[in-house]
Amino acid sequence: MSEPSVSLTSTTGKEHSNDKNLVQVNNLVKYFPVRGGLMQKVIAWVQAVDKLSFTVKEGETLGLVGESGCGKTTVGRTILRLIEPTSGQIYFDGIDLTTLKGKELKAMRRNMQIIFQDPYASLDPRIPVGESIAEGLNIHNIGTRQERTDIVYETLHKVGLEDYHARRYPHEFSGGQRQRIGIARALALRPRFIVADEPVSALDVSIQSQVLNIMRDLQKEFNLTYLFIAHNLSVVEHISDRVAVMYLGKIVETSGREDLYRMPLHPYTQALLSAIPIPDPSVKRERIILQGDVPSPLNPPKGCRFHPRCPVAVEACSIAEPPLIEFSPEHQVACWRVI
């Protein structure tokens, strides 16, 4: 027997508490093995994510930012169990996802979806996009065949596309249209939580704003919760409610959007913000140029992982790792200079 059909009716009138944590991550660790030798034994570990803890409140957008290779995408995929965590707990609405298996995990996946970075590689080029959008509905046996078709059409309308687009193949669309299809596929199951993995980084600036506006409109209409992964801080400022800054597998600062951009505390955050272009040629910003390269996650520095590149590092920075402490309400930082 098929399950009841999924309605894309707005949740207008249904109240949600902004103080409720929909996602809670405790001491999340993900190490990848490096194998070598004749027997392909493990000779080292890539410390992609190391003891991360954060929360995402229901209905909000948490921006996760940092340089390429800092572990942002790994965090997003590990939360969804697309990658298995090495250790730690991941709670979704109070349920520990790391304890779920089989049918329980499959049922929970209806509530959690992902928008991939590459809108072309994430779509099967051999099937029409309508079938790609309906794939989740088929897997979860939702509705009749006609009901699933209706959901596909309605979802396409939500992202600005038409019914006939469902019969076309991915190569027939532009990059912006393909990303809209990716959003539609994530939305089809009516999830509560979506990981957006750099969803606009491959798009032109003019198209970026359109896609971001679609995501914000859908969030308001369906009370969606986003983990928005990006390295473009201008984009993060536009869409996020709170921001978490990552460096080499660690979170170094979290804050509300306005506080972070007005008063960044960690030297790494300050350097990232100094690189944002100002759309006014008469205004000049002092650029902070970081020296050296990002250390290898195979052998991260002792103490604060940022200290080899930090312009204000002190002796304590190379000895012990600073804890993530609360500097002010909703503003946390891991820096010995601030502590």
Side-chain angles (χ1 to χ4, degrees):
M1 181 180 295
S2 63
E3 298 183 19
S5 62
V6 174
S7 171
L8 286 179
T9 305
S10 168
T11 56
T12 302
K14 186 176 181 180
E15 296 295 331
H16 294 274
S17 172
N18 290 330
D19 295 330
K20 177 183 177 181
N21 290 330
L22 182 64
V23 178
Q24 181 174 340
V25 177
N26 295 334
N27 295 317
L28 181 64
V29 175
K30 179 58 187 178
Y31 290 177
F32 292 98
V34 178
R35 302 180 183 274
L38 184 62
M39 302 300 294
Q40 288 295 295
K41 294 183 178 180
V42 176
I43 58 175
W45 294 91
V46 176
Q47 301 179 29
V49 178
D50 195 8
K51 296 181 180 179
L52 253 65
S53 297
F54 62 89
T55 60
V56 188
K57 297 177 182 178
E58 186 171 19
E60 80 164 351
T61 299
L62 175 67
L64 187 61
V65 302
E67 292 174 287
S68 296
C70 72
K72 304 186 300 297
T73 294
T74 302
V75 170
R77 297 191 178 196
T78 305
I79 290 175
L80 300 181
R81 292 280 303 274
L82 297 178
I83 300 174
E84 290 299 319
T86 302
S87 64
Q89 293 80 42
I90 305 164
Y91 292 94
F92 180 86
D93 203 13
I95 300 173
D96 188 354
L97 299 181
T98 61
T99 64
L100 301 183
K101 296 180 180 179
K103 293 182 179 179
E104 292 181 336
L105 180 59
K106 178 182 177 181
M108 185 61 70
R109 290 193 188 280
R110 285 186 57 179
N111 297 309
M112 307 177 297
Q113 294 294 305
I114 184 170
I115 302 170
F116 292 99
Q117 178 179 0
D118 189 335
Y120 188 73
S122 61
L123 295 171
D124 189 336
R126 299 167 298 178
I127 63 176
V129 299
E131 293 185 25
S132 292
I133 295 171
E135 188 172 10
L137 302 172
N138 295 330
I139 289 173
H140 291 279
N141 194 31
I142 294 173
T144 64
R145 182 173 182 179
Q146 183 57 50
E147 287 173 335
R148 290 195 286 266
T149 300
D150 292 340
I151 291 172
V152 169
Y153 290 160
E154 189 174 358
T155 308
L156 283 171
H157 297 164
K158 294 292 182 183
V159 298
L161 298 175
E162 301 297 335
D163 293 358
Y164 65 85
H165 287 127
R167 297 184 290 275
R168 293 186 176 180
Y169 290 82
H171 72 272
E172 299 180 75
F173 295 92
S174 66
Q177 288 176 319
R178 285 197 290 264
Q179 197 57 286
R180 290 171 188 243
I181 294 166
I183 295 172
R185 183 174 58 179
L187 184 66
L189 285 171
R190 278 302 312 277
R192 298 172 63 189
F193 175 62
I194 293 179
V195 173
D197 185 10
E198 302 202 30
V200 297
S201 63
L203 307 178
D204 294 336
V205 174
S206 59
I207 306 301
Q208 287 183 9
S209 61
Q210 296 176 17
V211 172
L212 291 174
N213 288 335
I214 288 173
M215 292 183 64
R216 294 187 69 174
D217 291 342
L218 293 173
Q219 182 177 37
K220 293 177 182 178
E221 184 173 359
F222 301 115
N223 195 49
L224 296 172
T225 303
Y226 290 143
L227 176 64
F228 191 92
I229 298 169
H231 58 263
N232 187 331
L233 273 78
S234 298
V235 170
V236 171
E237 183 180 16
H238 176 73
I239 196 171
S240 299
D241 299 300
R242 291 190 301 127
V243 181
V245 182
M246 275 192 73
Y247 182 80
L248 206 61
K250 294 277 191 180
I251 287 182
V252 297
E253 187 169 2
T254 63
S255 174
R257 175 189 59 195
E258 294 182 0
D259 282 349
L260 187 82
Y261 284 80
R262 177 178 56 85
M263 189 179 64
L265 298 176
H266 198 280
Y268 179 62
T269 309
Q270 295 169 0
L272 290 179
L273 292 177
S274 74
I276 299 177
I278 299 177
D280 186 347
S282 64
V283 178
K284 293 185 179 180
R285 173 183 285 159
E286 183 179 352
R287 178 72 188 278
I288 300 174
I289 306 297
L290 298 177
Q291 303 298 319
D293 297 324
V294 179
S296 171
L298 280 168
N299 186 25
K302 295 182 179 180
C304 174
R305 296 190 174 187
F306 183 60
H307 86 265
R309 305 175 69 197
C310 182
V312 294
V314 294
E315 184 178 358
C317 301
S318 60
I319 298 175
E321 180 183 329
L324 191 65
I325 60 101
E326 190 170 34
F327 177 80
S328 62
E330 298 292 329
H331 198 158
Q332 297 177 312
V333 63
C335 179
W336 288 120
R337 293 294 298 265
V338 178
I339 297 173

